[in-house]
Amino acid sequence: MRPAPADVRTVVCVGAGVIGGGWVAYFLARGYRVVAWDPAPDGEERLRHLVRAAWPALTDLGLADGASMDNLSFEPDLAKACAQADFVQESAPEDLELKRTLLADIDAATPEGVVISSSTSGYGMSEMQDKCAHPDRTVVGHPFNPPYLIPLVEVVGGTSTSSDVVAWTSEFFTLAGKSVITMDREVPGFIANRLQEALWREALHMVAAGEATVEQIDLSITDGPGLRWPIFGPMLTFHLAGGQGGMAHMLDHFGPSLLSPWTRLVAAELTPELRDAVVDGCDREADGRSIDDLVAERDRGVVAVLRALGKA
C-alpha cells in the first residue's frame, strides 16, 4: 500500500538521461535511496558521471542527513527496479506511444498504491495513462532542467487520476524540498513552459525578421526584466509598475497597449472579469505588504542578483 509522503525511503527513477539523471542526483542529495533504470547500454556509466558532476553544487546547497552517492543502485531489469519503489519518477523521452507503453509496464511492476509520476514536459497525463491497469495512481510531476538545482515542480493529474494521488504527490515533493505548483486542470505544456515558449517564439520571430540579433535578445533579458523575475514574477512585477495604484492602475492605464503590435501573440480581451481576477490575485500574493514594502524587497533582491553576477 502507498506509504505516507514522509515515509518514502526508496525512489525509483525510470530513465536516466539529463532529466532523469538530474532527478537521481536530487533525490540522493535529499537522503533517499535511489534505484535507477535506463535501457541504454552505457546508461549506468552516464548516470554516475552526471551525479558526480552535480554533487559539488548540491553539496554547496547543503545535503540532507544520510545523503550519499553510495545510496544509488542501477537495476537493468525494469520490473525488479519498480518492485522496490516507494515512489516512481518516470523521465523517458517525449514520445507519446513510448510513454504510454512504459507507464503501463511500470504500473504492472510497481507495488499496489505506490504513486507513479511522469516528468513529461508537455503531454497531459490523460493521454498517457490510458494503457495503465491502475491509472488512478499516475500523475505528472514536471520538473525544470536541471532538476537538482531548479526548485519548481508542476503537479497535475489526468482524468483518471485520483485527487488523493495529486495531493499526496504535492506533499511528497514539498517534503523533498521542491517548490510545488498544484495545477487545477491540465493544459498542454503546463504553466512555466507555456510562458517561456511564448518568449522563445517571439525571439525566433524577431531574429527571422531581422528585428534583433541573438545577442541583443539575450542581453535584453539578462540585463533587463530577467533581473526582476527572481524576486517577483511577471504579475507582481507589473503590480509595482502601477505605482501606488498597483495592478488596478497598471491595467487601467496600460490596458489599451494590449492592442498594440508588441508581440505576434493575440492579446487576451481585457474584460472586467479578467481585470478583477488579476488585481485580486496580486492583492493575495502581496499578502498585506504595501507597494513601498514590495519595492524595497524587489530592490534588495535585484542588488543581490547584480552582486552575485558581478554586475554591481
Side-chain angles (χ1 to χ4, degrees):
M1 298 300 293
R2 184 182 309 137
D7 293 335
V8 171
R9 295 292 178 266
T10 300
V11 175
V12 173
C13 290
V14 176
V18 173
I19 298 299
W23 270 123
V24 169
Y26 182 78
F27 285 127
L28 288 172
R30 300 304 301 169
Y32 295 97
R33 172 178 174 259
V34 178
V35 179
W37 174 88
D38 192 279
D42 61 344
E44 180 174 7
E45 179 184 352
R46 288 189 293 104
L47 172 60
R48 293 191 182 277
H49 174 80
L50 187 155
V51 171
R52 287 193 298 270
W55 208 251
L58 289 165
T59 301
D60 284 346
L61 286 174
L63 301 175
D65 292 342
S68 172
M69 289 186 286
D70 294 336
N71 291 333
L72 169 62
S73 60
F74 191 91
E75 173 54 64
D77 186 287
L78 176 63
K80 290 181 180 178
C82 292
Q84 305 174 58
D86 294 327
F87 174 76
V88 178
Q89 185 70 32
E90 171 270 315
S91 304
E94 287 293 290
D95 179 300
L96 183 55
E97 284 307 315
L98 170 64
K99 283 189 177 286
R100 281 173 169 162
T101 300
L102 182 58
L103 285 170
D105 291 342
I106 295 170
D107 180 39
T110 301
E112 180 182 355
V114 168
V115 170
I116 301 168
S117 172
S118 175
S119 298
T120 179
S121 58
Y123 295 125
M125 183 48 70
S126 294
E127 54 189 334
M128 297 190 297
Q129 66 188 182
D130 58 354
K131 290 185 177 181
C132 294
H134 307 94
D136 56 292
R137 61 166 168 173
T138 59
V139 64
V140 168
H142 172 230
F144 289 82
N145 190 39
Y148 60 86
L149 288 183
I150 307 301
L152 185 62
V153 176
E154 295 171 317
V155 175
V156 61
T159 53
S160 298
T161 305
S162 165
S163 59
D164 291 343
V165 167
V166 174
W168 186 100
T169 306
S170 294
E171 183 179 355
F172 167 72
F173 280 130
T174 299
L175 291 172
K178 286 293 187 178
S179 174
V180 179
I181 292 176
T182 305
M183 295 179 60
D184 295 327
R185 65 186 67 181
E186 290 181 295
V187 60
F190 315 112
I191 297 173
N193 269 355
R194 292 180 72 92
L195 293 172
Q196 65 179 1
E197 183 70 9
L199 182 65
W200 171 238
R201 292 186 185 189
E202 186 63 30
L204 293 179
H205 275 300
M206 286 194 287
V207 173
E211 297 164 348
T213 66
V214 168
E215 295 84 356
Q216 288 172 334
I217 288 170
D218 279 346
L219 189 64
S220 75
I221 298 300
T222 61
D223 283 22
L227 292 171
R228 302 183 303 209
W229 289 339
I231 297 91
F232 298 134
M235 290 296 194
L236 215 55
T237 293
F238 283 154
H239 179 55
L240 300 187
Q244 294 299 324
M247 179 59 80
H249 178 71
M250 164 67 183
L251 290 175
D252 294 340
H253 186 68
F254 293 103
S257 68
L258 288 172
L259 302 178
S260 300
W262 289 4
T263 173
R264 272 84 174 176
L265 289 174
V266 176
E269 182 183 356
L270 188 57
T271 62
E273 292 78 15
L274 175 57
R275 176 196 180 277
D276 291 346
V278 173
V279 171
D280 292 345
C282 287
D283 288 341
R284 289 193 304 272
E285 192 173 357
D287 195 25
R289 292 171 292 177
S290 69
I291 293 294
D292 289 343
D293 294 335
L294 292 170
V295 166
E297 185 176 342
R298 178 201 61 194
D299 291 355
R300 289 193 300 270
V302 172
V303 168
V305 170
L306 286 169
R307 285 177 173 162
L309 294 174
K311 294 184 177 181

